[in-house]
Amino acid sequence: MAHSFLIKPMLGEDYPVISYGKGVFLYDEEGKKYLDASSGAVTANIGHGVAEILKAMSDQAEKVSFVYRSQFTSAAAEQLAEKIARLTPGDLNWSFFVNSGSEATETAMKMAIQYWQEQGIYTKTKILSRWVSYHGITLGALSMSGHTSRRERFVPLLEDFPAIHPPYCYRCPYQLQAPSCDYLCARELETAIKRIGADKIAAFIAEPVIGAAGGAIAPPKDYFKTIRKICDDHQILFIADEVMTGTGRTGTMFACEHWGVLPDIAALGKGLGAGYTPIAAAVASEKVMKPILNGTKSVMSGHTFSANPLSCAVSLAVLEYVQKNNLMKQVKSKSDNLMKSLEKLKNLFSFIGDIRGKGLLLGIEFVQNRKTKQPFSRTASVTQKVISLAREQGLLVYPAGAGIDGVNGDAIIIAPPLTISEKEIDELIDLLNKTLEAFSNQLGDQETAGEG
Ligand SMILES: Cc1ncc(COP(=O)(O)O)c(C=O)c1O
């Protein structure tokens, strides 16, 4: 490729140029076809190239693309906020639109702090979170993220918000099993609150299913009920980071619904625009909005492009598409089929340690030794190797962290568009099987080379 001035994730590496996408497939300029088994970064929830979304985009652009939120509102933004209020459970009725998941979690954090300030409480400014978590790359969001490698360079600028272990049953820090463990990893929150002081803590934030940092770690049954109760007992808000899990990815609008809890504030992103436009939202409950509505009447956050009509119209069309095509209802059976096939692959490849996740957000953790769960060494770059081999096969999967220390561990996420057909699931599994066979051969070659 000619010299590039674009700062890509890995400078000096060649990236294929995609010329178009249709459904679950992407096609590069050389005609190679890729099955998008990760929806990009768990984003393209309705697949690529959906004509009615493009129509909604051009219809809105013909009217007006941009108005500034402090000067005007728009029908598109009003309708999107109303649609989210109707789709979300409970009284999570108020949307603040932003452009990325990082901005959504950061806005949620600011709303939580403001909620207490509006009631005259100025000391509650900390946000507790978990290790093995990811809430975004901006400094506030990164402060909340227990993602070791993404924090590393900026630690002096960050708050030390990660306070407790994740519900990582495959590598339980207590070597226990749910439910007899009595959810000790959730109960750690109570200990952390007592140590720090509830009077200093505004909120606790968690991803319902841990994505990028953990490779689709779903919690055991009563984990979130325990968390919710501890938050309520200590007057701490609960923020659900549904950026990856929300808008249908796990079969419900919010993944939290599976475990019978609701947050005070939720962050949405990724699937909200499904890759057709950058949009995200902090969605607040009536409880959180009440003191703000009775107080300053203004949430202190915002960006130039917040609630821009073009993004809102596109997102509205995406949510309507999800509803009209009953995509959330189809998630469970598609997930069950995918899971069954992944379990079969686990029988074939001993380096698969764990298969997990919820809905169409599934993860595979790789280990050197299945019995001891010993991870591969960092220098083996297993995740990157699997990703590259998959790409050679024409399969896109998403790299994730794994391992209780957030450093040593390898995992990939399988999260195809919710529109994937059963036939395409078979194709996905076939390509994944070929990928893992190629990886197995590489491992075999290394061992043979080692023996020599
Ligand atoms: C759970 C979660 N929260 C927040 C973010 C940050 O979103 P963005 O990359 O759009 O800023 C991500 C991104 O991967 C995420 O998975």
Side-chain angles (χ1 to χ4, degrees):
M1 205 191 199
H3 182 74
S4 169
F5 297 95
L6 178 66
I7 301 175
K8 302 189 199 48
M10 281 310 294
L11 296 168
E13 228 173 67
D14 278 339
Y15 290 81
V17 182
I18 288 298
S19 47
Y20 69 100
K22 196 75 205 153
V24 300
F25 296 102
L26 289 165
Y27 300 83
D28 74 16
E29 279 190 335
E30 289 172 3
K32 182 164 175 161
K33 177 178 166 186
Y34 302 84
L35 197 162
D36 186 359
S38 62
S39 306
V42 197
T43 299
N45 280 9
I46 62 169
H48 302 277
V50 175
E52 56 197 85
I53 310 301
L54 309 181
K55 166 119 182 25
M57 195 182 286
S58 72
D59 285 353
Q60 181 62 48
E62 273 175 26
K63 289 181 208 151
V64 64
S65 295
F66 176 75
V67 294
Y68 186 45
R69 71 184 192 103
S70 73
Q71 295 169 331
F72 297 102
T73 184
S74 68
E78 297 290 346
Q79 285 165 16
L80 179 61
E82 188 179 342
K83 170 72 76 187
I84 292 173
R86 288 190 195 287
L87 278 174
T88 53
D91 66 354
L92 288 141
N93 291 338
W94 295 81
S95 283
F96 193 118
F97 294 119
V98 291
N99 316 292
S100 68
S102 306
E103 292 169 11
T105 57
E106 203 153 322
T107 296
M109 162 182 148
K110 288 173 179 152
M111 275 178 164
I113 293 170
Q114 189 173 339
Y115 166 79
W116 296 111
Q117 288 176 346
E118 298 277 6
Q119 299 172 77
I121 302 165
Y122 291 88
T123 55
K124 284 167 88 67
T125 51
K126 278 186 182 292
I127 313 288
L128 298 194
S129 66
R130 309 179 297 189
W131 286 104
V132 190
S133 67
Y134 184 58
H135 301 294
I137 207 71
T138 53
L139 291 180
L142 199 56
S143 280
M144 298 187 281
S145 300
H147 195 304
T148 318
S149 59
R150 293 185 187 171
R151 288 176 72 90
E152 213 172 9
R153 286 178 191 276
F154 309 107
V155 165
L157 303 177
L158 301 178
E159 297 286 342
D160 55 350
F161 288 159
I164 65 171
H165 280 112
Y168 193 175
C169 295
Y170 179 64
R171 295 186 185 279
C172 173
Y174 300 101
Q175 319 271 320
L176 294 172
Q177 278 191 343
S180 57
C181 62
D182 203 21
Y183 301 98
L184 282 182
C185 60
R187 294 189 188 287
E188 276 179 40
L189 179 59
E190 190 148 45
T191 312
I193 292 170
K194 284 180 183 160
R195 279 187 187 135
I196 295 162
D199 60 326
K200 298 190 182 60
I201 306 165
F204 172 72
I205 185 168
E207 297 158 80
V209 179
I210 302 166
I217 298 173
K221 191 170 151 277
D222 287 333
Y223 174 83
F224 274 113
K225 279 202 176 129
T226 312
I227 290 283
R228 178 76 256 192
K229 182 166 184 322
I230 294 169
C231 288
D232 291 343
D233 287 351
H234 295 274
Q235 297 210 309
I236 284 163
L237 297 180
F238 171 43
I239 304 172
D241 179 351
E242 297 262 7
V243 167
M244 191 178 273
T245 50
T247 56
R249 174 52 55 191
T250 70
T252 45
M253 181 67 179
F254 286 168
C256 266
E257 295 173 58
H258 293 292
W259 297 288
V261 297
L262 288 181
D264 298 301
I265 310 174
L268 292 174
K270 294 183 182 278
L272 188 59
Y276 288 85
T277 189
I279 188 163
V283 185
S285 63
E286 295 289 348
K287 164 182 149 183
V288 168
M289 289 305 294
K290 196 171 167 198
I292 302 174
L293 287 163
N294 291 336
T296 62
K297 294 187 167 45
S298 176
V299 170
M300 181 38 75
S301 187
H303 301 268
T304 298
F305 301 118
S306 283
N308 77 80
L310 188 54
S311 287
C312 290
V314 171
S315 173
L316 184 63
V318 167
L319 294 182
E320 278 167 358
Y321 187 89
V322 169
Q323 270 187 304
K324 206 170 65 186
N325 293 285
N326 279 322
L327 294 184
M328 291 199 223
K329 287 210 181 88
Q330 296 166 29
V331 166
K332 179 150 184 356
S333 70
K334 289 179 185 179
S335 168
D336 288 349
N337 284 351
L338 198 46
M339 203 58 161
K340 234 183 271 163
S341 304
L342 293 177
E343 289 293 347
K344 281 189 196 148
L345 291 183
K346 190 177 171 193
N347 292 334
L348 295 178
F349 301 103
S350 62
F351 51 80
I352 297 183
D354 193 29
I355 308 273
R356 55 189 177 230
K358 187 83 189 162
L360 284 174
L361 178 57
L362 301 177
I364 304 177
E365 181 167 339
F366 301 112
V367 287
Q368 196 164 13
N369 183 321
R370 188 183 280 170
K371 211 160 155 219
T372 62
K373 302 183 183 176
Q374 188 195 341
F376 285 97
S377 85
R378 236 9 13 241
T379 52
S381 305
V382 164
T383 302
Q384 272 322 312
K385 277 184 189 151
V386 172
I387 300 279
S388 312
L389 290 167
R391 188 189 284 194
E392 276 173 32
Q393 296 290 340
L395 179 71
L396 303 173
V397 292
Y398 188 72
I404 198 75
D405 58 7
V407 182
N408 296 290
D410 290 281
I412 57 168
I413 287 177
I414 309 286
L418 312 184
T419 49
I420 192 168
S421 68
E422 294 300 339
K423 189 167 153 277
E424 288 160 345
I425 289 179
D426 290 345
E427 199 172 335
L428 185 166
I429 290 295
D430 182 47
L431 292 171
L432 187 58
N433 190 5
K434 288 186 176 131
T435 300
L436 298 177
E437 261 172 16
F439 178 64
S440 181
N441 290 340
Q442 273 192 4
L443 277 181
D445 289 347
Q446 273 168 19
E447 274 163 24
T448 318
E451 281 160 19

Short mmCIF file of all heavy atoms in Angstrom, two decimals, residues 134-183:
data_model
loop_
_atom_site.label_atom_id
_atom_site.label_comp_id
_atom_site.label_asym_id
_atom_site.label_seq_id
_atom_site.Cartn_x
_atom_site.Cartn_y
_atom_site.Cartn_z
N TYR A 134 -14.18 -2.85 31.41
CA TYR A 134 -13.82 -1.76 30.49
C TYR A 134 -15.02 -0.84 30.32
O TYR A 134 -16.10 -1.28 29.94
CB TYR A 134 -13.37 -2.30 29.13
CG TYR A 134 -12.92 -1.18 28.21
CD1 TYR A 134 -11.87 -0.34 28.61
CD2 TYR A 134 -13.54 -0.94 26.99
CE1 TYR A 134 -11.47 0.72 27.79
CE2 TYR A 134 -13.13 0.11 26.17
CZ TYR A 134 -12.10 0.93 26.58
OH TYR A 134 -11.68 1.97 25.78
N HIS A 135 -14.79 0.45 30.60
CA HIS A 135 -15.87 1.42 30.48
C HIS A 135 -15.53 2.56 29.52
O HIS A 135 -16.30 3.51 29.42
CB HIS A 135 -16.24 1.97 31.86
CG HIS A 135 -16.66 0.89 32.81
ND1 HIS A 135 -17.82 0.15 32.63
CD2 HIS A 135 -16.07 0.36 33.92
CE1 HIS A 135 -17.94 -0.74 33.60
NE2 HIS A 135 -16.88 -0.65 34.39
N GLY A 136 -14.37 2.48 28.87
CA GLY A 136 -14.06 3.51 27.88
C GLY A 136 -12.66 4.08 28.03
O GLY A 136 -11.98 3.85 29.03
N ILE A 137 -12.26 4.85 27.03
CA ILE A 137 -10.86 5.24 26.90
C ILE A 137 -10.59 6.68 27.37
O ILE A 137 -9.45 7.05 27.59
CB ILE A 137 -10.37 5.03 25.44
CG1 ILE A 137 -8.88 4.79 25.37
CG2 ILE A 137 -10.81 6.17 24.53
CD1 ILE A 137 -8.44 3.46 25.90
N THR A 138 -11.62 7.52 27.49
CA THR A 138 -11.38 8.88 27.99
C THR A 138 -11.01 8.78 29.48
O THR A 138 -11.31 7.77 30.12
CB THR A 138 -12.63 9.77 27.81
OG1 THR A 138 -13.74 9.08 28.41
CG2 THR A 138 -12.94 9.99 26.34
N LEU A 139 -10.37 9.82 30.03
CA LEU A 139 -9.75 9.63 31.35
C LEU A 139 -10.74 9.29 32.47
O LEU A 139 -10.42 8.51 33.35
CB LEU A 139 -8.90 10.84 31.71
CG LEU A 139 -7.63 11.00 30.85
CD1 LEU A 139 -6.84 12.23 31.27
CD2 LEU A 139 -6.74 9.77 30.90
N GLY A 140 -11.95 9.87 32.41
CA GLY A 140 -12.95 9.53 33.42
C GLY A 140 -13.38 8.08 33.27
O GLY A 140 -13.46 7.32 34.25
N ALA A 141 -13.67 7.69 32.03
CA ALA A 141 -14.12 6.31 31.77
C ALA A 141 -13.00 5.32 32.06
O ALA A 141 -13.24 4.23 32.59
CB ALA A 141 -14.59 6.19 30.32
N LEU A 142 -11.78 5.72 31.73
CA LEU A 142 -10.63 4.83 31.99
C LEU A 142 -10.37 4.71 33.50
O LEU A 142 -9.94 3.66 33.97
CB LEU A 142 -9.39 5.38 31.26
CG LEU A 142 -8.23 4.42 31.01
CD1 LEU A 142 -8.66 3.17 30.26
CD2 LEU A 142 -7.11 5.12 30.23
N SER A 143 -10.66 5.77 34.22
CA SER A 143 -10.52 5.72 35.69
C SER A 143 -11.43 4.63 36.27
O SER A 143 -11.09 3.97 37.24
CB SER A 143 -10.91 7.06 36.32
OG SER A 143 -9.86 7.98 36.22
N MET A 144 -12.58 4.45 35.64
CA MET A 144 -13.53 3.44 36.14
C MET A 144 -13.16 2.05 35.63
O MET A 144 -13.67 1.05 36.13
CB MET A 144 -14.95 3.78 35.67
CG MET A 144 -15.46 5.11 36.20
SD MET A 144 -17.21 5.39 35.80
CE MET A 144 -17.15 5.93 34.10
N SER A 145 -12.31 1.98 34.61
CA SER A 145 -12.03 0.70 33.95
C SER A 145 -10.94 -0.09 34.66
O SER A 145 -9.85 0.42 34.90
CB SER A 145 -11.57 0.95 32.51
OG SER A 145 -12.57 1.63 31.79
N GLY A 146 -11.26 -1.35 34.95
CA GLY A 146 -10.23 -2.22 35.53
C GLY A 146 -9.55 -2.99 34.42
O GLY A 146 -9.52 -4.21 34.43
N HIS A 147 -9.04 -2.28 33.45
CA HIS A 147 -8.40 -2.89 32.29
C HIS A 147 -6.91 -2.54 32.36
O HIS A 147 -6.50 -1.45 31.96
CB HIS A 147 -9.04 -2.33 31.01
CG HIS A 147 -8.72 -3.13 29.78
ND1 HIS A 147 -7.43 -3.39 29.38
CD2 HIS A 147 -9.52 -3.72 28.87
CE1 HIS A 147 -7.46 -4.12 28.27
NE2 HIS A 147 -8.72 -4.33 27.94
N THR A 148 -6.14 -3.48 32.88
CA THR A 148 -4.75 -3.20 33.24
C THR A 148 -3.95 -2.60 32.09
O THR A 148 -3.30 -1.57 32.24
CB THR A 148 -4.07 -4.51 33.72
OG1 THR A 148 -5.00 -5.19 34.55
CG2 THR A 148 -2.80 -4.24 34.48
N SER A 149 -3.99 -3.25 30.92
CA SER A 149 -3.11 -2.79 29.85
C SER A 149 -3.54 -1.44 29.29
O SER A 149 -2.71 -0.65 28.84
CB SER A 149 -3.01 -3.84 28.75
OG SER A 149 -4.28 -4.10 28.22
N ARG A 150 -4.86 -1.15 29.31
CA ARG A 150 -5.29 0.16 28.79
C ARG A 150 -5.05 1.28 29.80
O ARG A 150 -4.95 2.45 29.42
CB ARG A 150 -6.77 0.10 28.37
CG ARG A 150 -6.96 -0.80 27.17
CD ARG A 150 -8.36 -0.83 26.63
NE ARG A 150 -8.46 -1.84 25.58
CZ ARG A 150 -9.57 -2.26 25.01
NH1 ARG A 150 -10.72 -1.72 25.37
NH2 ARG A 150 -9.57 -3.19 24.09
N ARG A 151 -4.96 0.96 31.09
CA ARG A 151 -4.70 1.97 32.12
C ARG A 151 -3.23 2.35 32.20
O ARG A 151 -2.88 3.50 32.47
CB ARG A 151 -5.09 1.43 33.52
CG ARG A 151 -6.53 1.29 33.80
CD ARG A 151 -6.75 0.66 35.17
NE ARG A 151 -6.42 1.56 36.26
CZ ARG A 151 -7.29 2.40 36.84
NH1 ARG A 151 -8.55 2.43 36.45
NH2 ARG A 151 -6.93 3.20 37.82
N GLU A 152 -2.40 1.30 31.99
CA GLU A 152 -0.97 1.33 32.31
C GLU A 152 -0.26 2.68 32.07
O GLU A 152 0.34 3.26 32.96
CB GLU A 152 -0.29 0.25 31.48
CG GLU A 152 0.87 -0.38 32.15
CD GLU A 152 1.37 -1.58 31.34
OE1 GLU A 152 0.92 -1.78 30.19
OE2 GLU A 152 2.23 -2.30 31.87
N ARG A 153 -0.37 3.20 30.86
CA ARG A 153 0.37 4.42 30.50
C ARG A 153 -0.13 5.66 31.24
O ARG A 153 0.56 6.67 31.32
CB ARG A 153 0.21 4.71 29.00
CG ARG A 153 1.00 3.80 28.11
CD ARG A 153 0.74 4.15 26.67
NE ARG A 153 1.29 3.12 25.81
CZ ARG A 153 2.55 3.08 25.42
NH1 ARG A 153 3.38 4.04 25.79
NH2 ARG A 153 2.98 2.10 24.67
N PHE A 154 -1.36 5.62 31.71
CA PHE A 154 -1.98 6.85 32.23
C PHE A 154 -2.25 6.81 33.73
O PHE A 154 -2.90 7.72 34.26
CB PHE A 154 -3.30 7.10 31.46
CG PHE A 154 -3.11 7.05 29.97
CD1 PHE A 154 -3.57 5.97 29.23
CD2 PHE A 154 -2.43 8.07 29.32
CE1 PHE A 154 -3.38 5.91 27.86
CE2 PHE A 154 -2.23 8.03 27.95
CZ PHE A 154 -2.69 6.94 27.21
N VAL A 155 -1.75 5.77 34.38
CA VAL A 155 -2.08 5.57 35.80
C VAL A 155 -1.96 6.84 36.65
O VAL A 155 -2.86 7.15 37.44
CB VAL A 155 -1.28 4.39 36.40
CG1 VAL A 155 -1.30 4.38 37.92
CG2 VAL A 155 -1.85 3.07 35.88
N PRO A 156 -0.90 7.66 36.49
CA PRO A 156 -0.81 8.86 37.35
C PRO A 156 -1.97 9.83 37.16
O PRO A 156 -2.24 10.65 38.03
CB PRO A 156 0.50 9.51 36.90
CG PRO A 156 1.28 8.43 36.23
CD PRO A 156 0.27 7.51 35.62
N LEU A 157 -2.64 9.76 36.01
CA LEU A 157 -3.75 10.68 35.75
C LEU A 157 -5.10 10.11 36.16
O LEU A 157 -6.12 10.80 36.10
CB LEU A 157 -3.82 11.01 34.26
CG LEU A 157 -2.57 11.61 33.62
CD1 LEU A 157 -2.77 11.80 32.14
CD2 LEU A 157 -2.24 12.94 34.28
N LEU A 158 -5.11 8.84 36.56
CA LEU A 158 -6.39 8.16 36.79
C LEU A 158 -6.77 8.09 38.26
O LEU A 158 -5.90 8.07 39.13
CB LEU A 158 -6.33 6.73 36.22
CG LEU A 158 -6.03 6.60 34.73
CD1 LEU A 158 -5.96 5.14 34.33
CD2 LEU A 158 -7.08 7.33 33.90
N GLU A 159 -8.07 8.00 38.51
CA GLU A 159 -8.57 7.71 39.85
C GLU A 159 -8.49 6.20 40.06
O GLU A 159 -8.58 5.43 39.10
CB GLU A 159 -10.04 8.15 39.97
CG GLU A 159 -10.26 9.63 39.80
CD GLU A 159 -9.82 10.44 41.01
OE1 GLU A 159 -9.66 9.85 42.10
OE2 GLU A 159 -9.64 11.65 40.87
N ASP A 160 -8.33 5.79 41.33
CA ASP A 160 -8.26 4.34 41.58
C ASP A 160 -9.65 3.79 41.90
O ASP A 160 -9.93 3.36 43.00
CB ASP A 160 -7.25 4.03 42.69
CG ASP A 160 -7.55 4.80 43.96
OD1 ASP A 160 -8.43 5.69 43.90
OD2 ASP A 160 -6.95 4.51 45.00
N PHE A 161 -10.52 3.84 40.89
CA PHE A 161 -11.91 3.41 41.09
C PHE A 161 -12.11 1.89 41.13
O PHE A 161 -12.97 1.42 41.86
CB PHE A 161 -12.82 4.03 40.02
CG PHE A 161 -13.05 5.52 40.20
CD1 PHE A 161 -13.47 6.30 39.11
CD2 PHE A 161 -12.89 6.14 41.42
CE1 PHE A 161 -13.71 7.65 39.26
CE2 PHE A 161 -13.13 7.51 41.58
CZ PHE A 161 -13.53 8.27 40.49
N PRO A 162 -11.35 1.09 40.34
CA PRO A 162 -11.61 -0.36 40.42
C PRO A 162 -11.31 -0.87 41.83
O PRO A 162 -10.21 -0.64 42.35
CB PRO A 162 -10.64 -0.96 39.39
CG PRO A 162 -10.31 0.16 38.47
CD PRO A 162 -10.33 1.40 39.33
N ALA A 163 -12.31 -1.51 42.45
CA ALA A 163 -12.15 -1.84 43.87
C ALA A 163 -12.38 -3.31 44.18
O ALA A 163 -11.94 -3.79 45.22
CB ALA A 163 -13.12 -0.99 44.70
N ILE A 164 -13.10 -4.03 43.31
CA ILE A 164 -13.44 -5.41 43.67
C ILE A 164 -13.19 -6.37 42.51
O ILE A 164 -13.04 -5.96 41.36
CB ILE A 164 -14.92 -5.54 44.15
CG1 ILE A 164 -15.91 -5.20 43.02
CG2 ILE A 164 -15.16 -4.65 45.37
CD1 ILE A 164 -17.36 -5.50 43.37
N HIS A 165 -13.17 -7.68 42.85
CA HIS A 165 -13.00 -8.72 41.83
C HIS A 165 -14.23 -8.80 40.92
O HIS A 165 -15.34 -8.49 41.36
CB HIS A 165 -12.84 -10.09 42.51
CG HIS A 165 -11.47 -10.34 43.04
ND1 HIS A 165 -11.21 -10.43 44.38
CD2 HIS A 165 -10.29 -10.55 42.40
CE1 HIS A 165 -9.92 -10.68 44.55
NE2 HIS A 165 -9.34 -10.75 43.38
N PRO A 166 -14.05 -9.31 39.72
CA PRO A 166 -15.21 -9.57 38.85
C PRO A 166 -15.83 -10.93 39.20
O PRO A 166 -15.17 -11.74 39.86
CB PRO A 166 -14.57 -9.64 37.46
CG PRO A 166 -13.19 -10.16 37.72
CD PRO A 166 -12.77 -9.63 39.07
N PRO A 167 -17.05 -11.20 38.73
CA PRO A 167 -17.67 -12.52 38.97
C PRO A 167 -17.17 -13.53 37.93
O PRO A 167 -17.92 -13.98 37.08
CB PRO A 167 -19.16 -12.23 38.78
CG PRO A 167 -19.20 -11.09 37.81
CD PRO A 167 -17.96 -10.29 38.02
N TYR A 168 -15.90 -13.84 38.04
CA TYR A 168 -15.20 -14.63 37.01
C TYR A 168 -15.16 -16.07 37.50
O TYR A 168 -14.15 -16.53 38.04
CB TYR A 168 -13.80 -14.03 36.89
CG TYR A 168 -12.92 -14.42 35.74
CD1 TYR A 168 -11.68 -13.79 35.60
CD2 TYR A 168 -13.29 -15.37 34.78
CE1 TYR A 168 -10.84 -14.10 34.55
CE2 TYR A 168 -12.44 -15.68 33.74
CZ TYR A 168 -11.22 -15.04 33.63
OH TYR A 168 -10.38 -15.35 32.59
N CYS A 169 -16.29 -16.78 37.34
CA CYS A 169 -16.43 -18.11 37.96
C CYS A 169 -15.37 -19.09 37.46
O CYS A 169 -14.93 -19.97 38.22
CB CYS A 169 -17.83 -18.65 37.72
SG CYS A 169 -19.08 -17.65 38.55
N TYR A 170 -14.97 -18.98 36.20
CA TYR A 170 -13.96 -19.90 35.67
C TYR A 170 -12.64 -19.77 36.43
O TYR A 170 -11.88 -20.72 36.55
CB TYR A 170 -13.78 -19.61 34.17
CG TYR A 170 -12.74 -20.47 33.48
CD1 TYR A 170 -12.92 -21.85 33.39
CD2 TYR A 170 -11.59 -19.90 32.93
CE1 TYR A 170 -11.97 -22.64 32.76
CE2 TYR A 170 -10.65 -20.68 32.29
CZ TYR A 170 -10.83 -22.06 32.20
OH TYR A 170 -9.90 -22.84 31.58
N ARG A 171 -12.38 -18.57 36.91
CA ARG A 171 -11.16 -18.35 37.70
C ARG A 171 -11.55 -17.67 39.01
O ARG A 171 -11.07 -16.56 39.32
CB ARG A 171 -10.16 -17.46 36.93
CG ARG A 171 -9.63 -18.10 35.66
CD ARG A 171 -8.56 -17.25 35.02
NE ARG A 171 -8.15 -17.81 33.75
CZ ARG A 171 -7.27 -18.81 33.61
NH1 ARG A 171 -6.73 -19.35 34.69
NH2 ARG A 171 -6.95 -19.26 32.42
N CYS A 172 -12.42 -18.31 39.74
CA CYS A 172 -12.92 -17.69 40.97
C CYS A 172 -11.77 -17.36 41.92
O CYS A 172 -10.97 -18.23 42.27
CB CYS A 172 -13.91 -18.63 41.67
SG CYS A 172 -14.40 -17.98 43.29
N PRO A 173 -11.67 -16.09 42.33
CA PRO A 173 -10.58 -15.72 43.23
C PRO A 173 -10.64 -16.45 44.57
O PRO A 173 -9.65 -16.54 45.28
CB PRO A 173 -10.76 -14.21 43.41
CG PRO A 173 -12.14 -13.91 42.94
CD PRO A 173 -12.52 -14.96 41.96
N TYR A 174 -11.83 -16.97 44.90
CA TYR A 174 -11.99 -17.70 46.17
C TYR A 174 -11.98 -19.20 45.97
O TYR A 174 -12.20 -19.94 46.93
CB TYR A 174 -13.31 -17.28 46.84
CG TYR A 174 -13.36 -15.81 47.16
CD1 TYR A 174 -14.07 -14.94 46.34
CD2 TYR A 174 -12.67 -15.29 48.24
CE1 TYR A 174 -14.10 -13.58 46.61
CE2 TYR A 174 -12.70 -13.93 48.52
CZ TYR A 174 -13.41 -13.09 47.70
OH TYR A 174 -13.44 -11.75 47.97
N GLN A 175 -11.79 -19.64 44.72
CA GLN A 175 -11.82 -21.08 44.40
C GLN A 175 -13.12 -21.72 44.86
O GLN A 175 -13.14 -22.86 45.33
CB GLN A 175 -10.65 -21.83 45.09
CG GLN A 175 -9.33 -21.09 45.07
CD GLN A 175 -8.52 -21.43 43.83
OE1 GLN A 175 -8.47 -22.55 43.39
NE2 GLN A 175 -7.90 -20.43 43.25
N LEU A 176 -14.22 -20.98 44.72
CA LEU A 176 -15.52 -21.51 45.13
C LEU A 176 -16.44 -21.61 43.91
O LEU A 176 -16.05 -21.22 42.81
CB LEU A 176 -16.15 -20.57 46.18
CG LEU A 176 -15.41 -20.49 47.51
CD1 LEU A 176 -16.03 -19.39 48.38
CD2 LEU A 176 -15.46 -21.82 48.26
N GLN A 177 -17.64 -22.15 44.17
CA GLN A 177 -18.60 -22.26 43.07
C GLN A 177 -19.92 -21.62 43.46
O GLN A 177 -20.36 -21.74 44.60
CB GLN A 177 -18.83 -23.74 42.76
CG GLN A 177 -17.73 -24.30 41.88
CD GLN A 177 -18.06 -25.66 41.33
OE1 GLN A 177 -18.95 -26.34 41.83
NE2 GLN A 177 -17.34 -26.06 40.30
N ALA A 178 -20.54 -20.98 42.48
CA ALA A 178 -21.86 -20.38 42.73
C ALA A 178 -22.91 -21.49 42.68
O ALA A 178 -22.76 -22.44 41.91
CB ALA A 178 -22.16 -19.33 41.66
N PRO A 179 -23.97 -21.44 43.47
CA PRO A 179 -24.31 -20.36 44.40
C PRO A 179 -23.77 -20.58 45.82
O PRO A 179 -23.95 -19.73 46.67
CB PRO A 179 -25.84 -20.40 44.41
CG PRO A 179 -26.18 -21.85 44.17
CD PRO A 179 -25.08 -22.42 43.32
N SER A 180 -23.10 -21.76 46.05
CA SER A 180 -22.68 -22.01 47.43
C SER A 180 -21.59 -21.01 47.90
O SER A 180 -21.33 -20.89 49.08
CB SER A 180 -22.18 -23.45 47.59
OG SER A 180 -21.14 -23.68 46.67
N CYS A 181 -21.00 -20.29 46.96
CA CYS A 181 -19.99 -19.28 47.31
C CYS A 181 -20.61 -18.10 48.06
O CYS A 181 -19.90 -17.25 48.60
CB CYS A 181 -19.33 -18.75 46.04
SG CYS A 181 -20.51 -17.94 44.94
N ASP A 182 -21.98 -18.03 48.02
CA ASP A 182 -22.68 -16.92 48.64
C ASP A 182 -22.25 -15.57 48.03
O ASP A 182 -22.30 -14.54 48.67
CB ASP A 182 -22.44 -16.92 50.16
CG ASP A 182 -23.56 -16.16 50.88
OD1 ASP A 182 -24.64 -16.02 50.30
OD2 ASP A 182 -23.32 -15.69 52.01
N TYR A 183 -21.83 -15.65 46.78
CA TYR A 183 -21.51 -14.44 46.01
C TYR A 183 -20.51 -13.52 46.72
O TYR A 183 -20.70 -12.32 46.85
CB TYR A 183 -22.80 -13.69 45.65
CG TYR A 183 -23.73 -14.56 44.84
CD1 TYR A 183 -24.78 -15.24 45.44
CD2 TYR A 183 -23.50 -14.77 43.49
CE1 TYR A 183 -25.60 -16.10 44.71
CE2 TYR A 183 -24.31 -15.62 42.74
CZ TYR A 183 -25.35 -16.29 43.36
OH TYR A 183 -26.13 -17.13 42.64
#
